[in-house]
Amino acid sequence: MRLQAARRVCVLTGAGMSAESGIATFRDALTGLWSRFDPAQLASEQGFRADPRTVWAWYAERRDAMRAAQPNAGHHALADFARRRRGVLTVVTQNVDDLHQRAGNTEAIRLHGDILADRWFDRCARLPACATHEAEPGRPPRCARCGNLVRPGVVWFGEMLPPGGLEAAERAAAASEVMLVVGTSGAVWPAAGLASTARQVGAWVVIVNPHPSEIDAQAHEVVRGTAAIELPCLLSMGADSS
Ligand code: OAD
């Protein structure tokens, strides 16, 4: 009921949102990427500087997996809700895939960047700045003039979030009457703080996650289930209990 009556709904999603599309999460035991790979090597500026080839190859594989993945029933349920209730829903995602966008939530706020986008690694001091690059198979493309490297457009540990995204996400959380938190461990800040922002302004906070998260205490309701199964029920007309 609350969801259908709410004039503003904010949804924060994490890697679990895309798990049923076949994209691995980070912190799930056994299947999570950070249980098999070292984030210091693969998700930091220092790691990329030390071994750009390995890091580039790892992201190239993940890019292929994300291009091949399809939005699941949870992504579609959010997009359908946004179409039915124009202007009500803001999706804020920590995910670097484009599954919300491909399902129809084209305005989803991406807190941690876009894995399919390229950007220059170093800020270029030359004028005109880096513009052309040459690619060798298996290596990150580099600037033909100064050697600057191309890197994936994701946020790595220790880096600032893309400008504007966090502010927009905080505004959406602070304006929300219902906050849905889907498929995140709540281990990474500042994204994890959006649930408490919403709670402080009196929003009803619902967590959807098959396992406990670090921010369960912020929730009025915890739905122990998966995104693709629970979101269609929660968001369909008249079928939600929250
Ligand atoms: P995590 O891997 O930390 O957490 C994934 C969460 O999804 C866990 O709490 C799981 O229990 C839950 N989960 C698993 N399958 C699910 C399903 N089918 N439906 C719903 N929930 C499910 O991922 P994030 O919280 O997104 O940073 O991680 C936050 C950030 O840490 C990521 O954005 C990434 C990573 O380092 C960057 O890329 C910058």
Side-chain angles (χ1 to χ4, degrees), residues 112-124:
H112 292 165
D114 174 0
I115 197 170
L116 299 176
D118 285 338
R119 64 182 173 91
W120 292 110
F121 180 49
D122 286 311
R123 183 185 293 266
C124 186

Side-chain angles (χ1 to χ4, degrees), residues 14-17 19-20 25-28 34 94-96 112 155 157 183-186 188 208-212 225-227:
M17 181 77 227
E20 286 147 296
T25 63
F26 295 95
R27 294 177 185 78
D28 278 290
W34 297 155
Q94 298 167 85
N95 296 344
V96 294
H112 292 165
V155 175
F157 287 100
T184 180
S185 60
V188 172
V208 178
N209 196 316
H211 305 294
T226 72

Side-chain angles (χ1 to χ4, degrees), residues 46-169:
Q46 297 86 327
F48 185 69
R49 209 176 283 287
D51 187 354
R53 203 174 168 154
T54 297
V55 176
W56 185 254
W58 192 71
Y59 282 94
E61 253 180 52
R62 290 185 63 215
R63 283 174 164 185
D64 288 346
M66 289 185 189
R67 283 194 190 100
Q70 297 302 324
N72 63 49
H75 296 103
H76 287 303
L78 286 169
D80 289 346
F81 184 87
R83 270 190 290 273
R84 284 200 314 271
R85 307 277 322 276
R86 298 234 171 245
V88 169
L89 186 75
T90 303
V91 175
V92 178
T93 189
Q94 298 167 85
N95 296 344
V96 294
D97 63 50
D98 60 353
L99 297 181
H100 283 304
Q101 287 79 7
R102 278 201 268 145
N105 284 121
T106 52
E107 309 283 300
I109 298 168
R110 297 162 174 269
L111 289 178
H112 292 165
D114 174 0
I115 197 170
L116 299 176
D118 285 338
R119 64 182 173 91
W120 292 110
F121 180 49
D122 286 311
R123 183 185 293 266
C124 186
R126 295 168 64 122
L127 280 175
C130 296
T132 58
H133 56 70
E134 48 192 30
E136 273 178 63
R139 290 176 189 272
R142 66 173 53 233
C143 174
R145 289 188 305 139
C146 70
N148 196 3
L149 295 172
V150 170
R151 56 162 280 183
V154 299
V155 175
W156 282 334
F157 287 100
E159 292 185 320
M160 306 285 285
L161 302 191
L166 180 62
E167 293 76 6

